[in-house]
Amino acid sequence: MKRIVCFGDSNTYGYDAITDGRFDENTRWTCVLQKLAGPDYTIIEEGLSGRTTCYRDPINEGMAGMDYIYPCLMSHGPFDTLIIMLGTNDCKERFSATPKNIADGMKRLVEKAKGMPVWNGVPDIIVISPAPIRKECESSFVAGEMGISSDKSYQLAREYSIMAKLEKVRFLDAASMDMNTIDYMHLSAKGHRQLAEMIWEELQK
């Protein structure tokens, strides 16, 4: 049985912007991926709303992925594949991070994960660039939380792709995934299924 850890933020947690709740097990991309993969795989959810790659949030504690990835992965090892989808929260105006800064944060996570004694064989990491934050988000009800964040989010895919090539890890771009029209930042139910299907296709390679 192959074990896959999915390390991410609210889009991995399954936040539903329409209900301000959480998508159920028939909708979240991690759960859809489990159904696509079948009994030969165990998909492990590790999503936290607000999580960043490495930035400590002065408002909300425990959000830096770099601080948590070691105990997280050690508790789930051994496993075969690590999927990391982060970067949306790094775009928040209060962090003042450039797209390159955010990619460097992702690089730190990748390098730390590679060196940990948690792998069934050679480390296999899939880095996913999250769907960009649409410009409408900056005038939505979460504008006060996110600030000016849209433009840099559209540059993450390029920076992540460069980083992934240098680190010799797999890369996927979630730019085409469907988003909700409430906060223009979180995946819709359709987007969750699209993402699961994209990841499953990559896992079969």
Side-chain angles (χ1 to χ4, degrees), residues 85-136:
M85 185 170 70
L86 288 170
T88 298
N89 293 296
D90 300 59
C91 292
K92 289 176 180 176
E93 188 173 0
R94 63 176 173 266
F95 293 125
S96 300
T98 67
K100 177 62 164 56
N101 294 155
I102 298 170
D104 285 343
M106 179 65 83
K107 179 181 178 181
R108 291 186 67 198
L109 290 176
V110 167
E111 291 181 341
K112 187 165 188 174
K114 278 183 179 179
M116 292 174 58
V118 293
W119 299 96
N120 283 324
V122 177
D124 179 33
I125 300 175
I126 301 175
V127 170
I128 302 178
S129 179
I133 303 165
R134 294 181 184 171
K135 198 69 176 176
E136 295 94 329

Side-chain angles (χ1 to χ4, degrees), residues 50 52 54-64 89 92-96 145:
T52 66
C54 64
Y55 295 99
R56 293 180 177 175
D57 195 321
I59 298 174
N60 304 303
E61 66 176 293
M63 294 301 165
N89 293 296
K92 289 176 180 176
E93 188 173 0
R94 63 176 173 266
F95 293 125
S96 300
E145 169 67 13

Side-chain angles (χ1 to χ4, degrees), residues 7-198:
F7 190 77
D9 53 28
S10 52
N11 275 319
T12 299
Y13 169 81
Y15 175 73
D16 181 356
I18 295 175
T19 65
D20 192 31
R22 189 183 191 187
F23 284 121
D24 61 26
E25 283 77 9
N26 293 314
T27 308
R28 298 197 299 273
W29 70 261
T30 48
C31 300
V32 176
L33 180 61
Q34 179 67 77
K35 291 178 181 178
L36 291 171
D40 291 336
Y41 287 77
T42 296
I43 307 301
I44 301 164
E45 293 181 315
E46 276 290 349
L48 175 66
S49 296
R51 179 176 283 152
T52 66
T53 58
C54 64
Y55 295 99
R56 293 180 177 175
D57 195 321
I59 298 174
N60 304 303
E61 66 176 293
M63 294 301 165
M66 193 66 186
D67 291 343
Y68 180 65
I69 196 167
Y70 182 87
C72 173
L73 299 189
M74 290 297 288
S75 69
H76 292 302
F79 53 83
D80 300 272
T81 300
L82 170 64
I83 298 172
I84 310 178
M85 185 170 70
L86 288 170
T88 298
N89 293 296
D90 300 59
C91 292
K92 289 176 180 176
E93 188 173 0
R94 63 176 173 266
F95 293 125
S96 300
T98 67
K100 177 62 164 56
N101 294 155
I102 298 170
D104 285 343
M106 179 65 83
K107 179 181 178 181
R108 291 186 67 198
L109 290 176
V110 167
E111 291 181 341
K112 187 165 188 174
K114 278 183 179 179
M116 292 174 58
V118 293
W119 299 96
N120 283 324
V122 177
D124 179 33
I125 300 175
I126 301 175
V127 170
I128 302 178
S129 179
I133 303 165
R134 294 181 184 171
K135 198 69 176 176
E136 295 94 329
C137 178
E138 295 175 1
S139 57
S140 74
F141 78 98
V142 295
E145 169 67 13
M146 298 301 295
I148 305 303
S149 55
S150 176
D151 289 348
K152 70 176 67 175
S153 73
Y154 282 87
Q155 301 176 53
L156 291 185
R158 178 180 179 275
E159 296 293 344
Y160 279 17
S161 176
I162 294 169
M163 182 278 298
K165 187 175 294 185
L166 291 172
E167 290 293 323
K168 295 181 173 58
V169 297
R170 297 197 261 180
F171 169 74
L172 293 174
D173 184 1
S176 62
M177 304 300 106
D178 189 70
M179 308 289 284
N180 78 79
T181 56
I182 304 298
D183 65 10
Y184 303 94
M185 183 173 59
H186 290 97
L187 295 172
S188 67
K190 178 182 177 181
H192 275 267
R193 172 157 288 279
Q194 291 173 328
L195 180 59
E197 291 172 348
M198 181 178 71

